[in-house]
Amino acid sequence: MAFVRGLKRPIEIFCKRMNTPVHSGLGYSAMACKGAYFADFRENKCPFGCNCANAFCSHCISARRYSTEVSPSEQMNLIKQLRERTSAPIKEVKSALVDSNWDIGKWWKYAESAQKELRKRGIVLASKKASRTAAEGLLALAQNDRKAAVIELNCETDFVARNEIFQYLALSLAKVALLVDGTRQPSGALHVGPELFEELKINFHHPKLSGERTVQNAITEVAAMMGENVKLRRGFAMSAPSYGILSTYLHTSPQPGVGRIAGLLSLEVEDQNASVDALQHVGSELAMHVVAAKPLFLTKADVSTEAMESEREILKSQAESTGKPQMAVEKMVEGRLRKYFEEVVLMEQKFVVNDTLNVKTLLNNLSKEVGSPVKVGSFLRVEVGEGLQRLESSNTGEPLAQAA
């Protein structure tokens, strides 16, 4: 009896092993007793009778029973694939895959349920980052025959601003801004606030950002991918004149259409038959001049009384500190006021391409060349992050950029 009882246990163990699934490491399991079935997979043959000569064909894949156990090498492969697809941080990618049970039923494709999980988390992550300062970023410029639009998309670091997905999103938003009617400013430019198109839908065509979604949802997704606060801060648009040209310039541009400083300028001409080539050449140089010289006003008449009084008070205080007579002080103030106009008024500034003449003289020469009066209709200068620190400390509204 003792011998029989001793023999019975090894036989039970043997039977249990025969009925235990054997995991192959390829993601499926087969019964150990079906040796031929398992051998077919190892020989890369389809055991289900189709002629695909591939054990992983889509016709027979559903007939297999997948294991919930994933080897470390498969885990690393899935993490790599999902990270390449989403650009999300490794920690978030792994956590999403774990929560989605590694989705190994479709292991040869990207883990779709894990991607959905990442998108859900992105909303939470982006909301947590929304309070962090985003003073870096890029300007994106889009232009057609009749209009140009520039938007500012902010992030926290310059590293993210150099990311191709961030730049793709910025360019997409600039194209949308071309289609939105903003609030007309006294300068002639349109202020396109982010609230005007955050709910608009766009069809994105980037490998890591594809399909139709709202502007706000796209920004939220990119924020989750980048791990930073991403914010659409502001936008502007400018229309071309009836007769004339609209010129643009981007400074510090990593690729066409994006940069850190933008200059927009329109040149109006009375004669519609005037040489467009001459206008475009000077217009391009003046758009670059706007970026470099930072004008605040178009003409001296456009300088506000408040700005004039403030500057005069400062200059008078500086002159009086020299101890000179009052008459001399007045002359010093007037002289320095002329210098102030040369610094902030576009028409009075020295032309950056040729500082022997000012912008007013340049336009007079251009008018003679094309045979018709030429004037600057409006200009706009926008720089990434300008006024953000002052804005946060004072809780005032967004600056409208340097425009006239």
Side-chain angles (χ1 to χ4, degrees):
M1 288 294 293
F3 175 76
V4 173
R5 283 197 301 268
L7 184 62
K8 183 179 180 181
R9 182 167 179 77
I11 293 174
E12 289 176 352
I13 293 174
F14 176 75
C15 290
K16 286 181 180 179
R17 287 181 178 175
M18 287 295 291
N19 289 287
T20 300
V22 177
H23 300 290
S24 68
L26 289 174
Y28 58 84
S29 63
M31 302 304 291
C33 60
K34 297 182 180 179
Y37 175 92
F38 183 68
D40 283 341
F41 274 108
R42 288 191 296 179
E43 294 174 10
N44 202 32
K45 296 178 181 178
C46 180
F48 297 98
C50 73
N51 297 319
C52 63
N54 186 348
F56 303 100
C57 75
S58 60
H59 298 91
C60 56
I61 202 74
S62 60
R64 301 177 198 161
R65 183 160 59 88
Y66 285 83
S67 168
T68 56
E69 296 180 9
V70 184
S71 68
S73 61
E74 288 174 356
Q75 290 181 15
M76 291 301 297
N77 185 39
L78 284 170
I79 290 172
K80 180 182 177 182
Q81 291 182 30
L82 184 56
R83 178 161 166 74
E84 287 176 352
R85 181 67 179 268
T86 65
S87 294
I90 291 178
K91 180 180 178 182
E92 296 299 328
V93 166
K94 183 176 180 181
S95 179
L97 283 167
V98 170
D99 290 350
S100 63
N101 200 28
W102 293 96
D103 202 21
I104 58 175
K106 296 180 180 179
W107 74 272
W108 68 94
K109 293 183 179 180
Y110 296 110
E112 295 177 359
S113 68
Q115 289 187 64
K116 292 179 182 178
E117 179 67 22
L118 278 176
R119 290 184 65 183
K120 292 176 184 177
R121 293 181 184 206
I123 298 173
V124 178
L125 292 173
S127 64
K128 290 180 179 179
K129 298 179 182 76
S131 60
R132 301 195 322 217
T133 302
E136 289 292 334
L138 284 173
L139 302 175
L141 178 70
Q143 187 172 3
N144 55 31
D145 293 339
R146 303 305 306 163
K147 193 176 182 182
V150 59
I151 63 98
E152 180 178 356
L153 187 65
N154 293 131
C155 55
E156 296 176 47
T157 64
D158 182 61
F159 177 78
V160 167
R162 295 195 299 269
N163 186 283
E164 61 162 340
I165 306 173
F166 184 88
Q167 294 179 10
Y168 172 80
L169 175 63
L171 286 168
S172 300
L173 297 181
K175 293 174 183 177
V176 173
L178 275 177
L179 308 175
V180 178
D181 291 328
T183 306
R184 185 165 295 279
Q185 304 299 311
S187 64
L190 294 174
H191 178 233
V192 185
E195 68 281 355
L196 295 178
F197 56 98
E198 283 184 339
E199 297 305 316
L200 294 180
K201 290 186 177 181
I202 313 179
N203 250 317
F204 294 92
H205 303 285
H206 190 278
K208 298 177 182 179
L209 185 68
S210 60
E212 186 180 68
R213 48 179 54 76
T214 65
V215 169
Q216 186 55 56
N217 286 343
I219 293 172
T220 299
E221 275 193 52
V222 172
M225 292 179 193
M226 302 296 102
E228 288 191 6
N229 182 18
V230 175
K231 178 184 178 183
L232 174 59
R233 183 186 177 197
R234 53 183 178 163
F236 300 94
M238 184 179 290
S239 298
S242 300
Y243 302 131
I245 54 99
L246 176 61
S247 297
T248 61
Y249 173 74
L250 276 172
H251 186 64
T252 317
S253 180
Q255 68 160 305
V258 295
R260 288 190 59 83
I261 313 175
L264 286 73
L265 178 135
S266 65
L267 284 181
E268 299 177 359
V269 61
E270 292 183 5
D271 185 359
Q272 60 178 319
N273 297 317
S275 173
V276 176
D277 291 339
L279 290 175
Q280 288 179 337
H281 176 72
V282 174
S284 298
E285 291 184 336
L286 280 175
M288 182 173 62
H289 171 96
V290 167
V291 167
K294 303 180 182 180
L296 299 177
F297 308 98
L298 179 56
T299 66
K300 288 194 288 186
D302 295 319
V303 181
S304 65
T305 305
E306 181 181 353
M308 280 281 293
E309 292 301 322
S310 175
E311 189 64 22
R312 187 181 293 275
E313 184 179 344
I314 293 171
L315 294 176
K316 186 176 181 180
S317 177
Q318 292 174 349
E320 288 176 343
S321 65
T322 62
K324 293 184 178 181
Q326 188 62 30
M327 186 176 294
V329 166
E330 292 296 331
K331 289 182 179 180
M332 290 175 66
V333 169
E334 293 303 318
R336 292 179 181 179
L337 205 55
R338 286 194 296 272
K339 181 68 175 176
Y340 170 73
F341 288 141
E342 291 178 3
E343 292 176 353
V344 301
V345 176
L346 176 61
M347 299 302 290
E348 306 298 323
Q349 288 178 331
K350 299 287 185 183
F351 186 38
V352 293
V353 179
N354 181 5
D355 61 5
T356 61
L357 46 100
N358 61 18
V359 174
K360 184 191 297 183
T361 304
L362 172 71
L363 292 180
N364 288 337
N365 294 341
L366 179 61
S367 298
K368 294 175 183 177
E369 180 181 348
V370 301
S372 178
V374 180
K375 68 176 184 178
V376 175
S378 57
F379 75 87
L380 178 71
R381 183 185 187 276
V382 190
E383 184 171 355
V384 170
E386 59 185 348
L388 271 178
Q389 291 183 348
R390 173 171 51 82
L391 181 68
E392 290 181 354
S393 61
S394 62
N395 293 319
T396 57
E398 285 283 2
L400 292 182
Q402 296 168 9

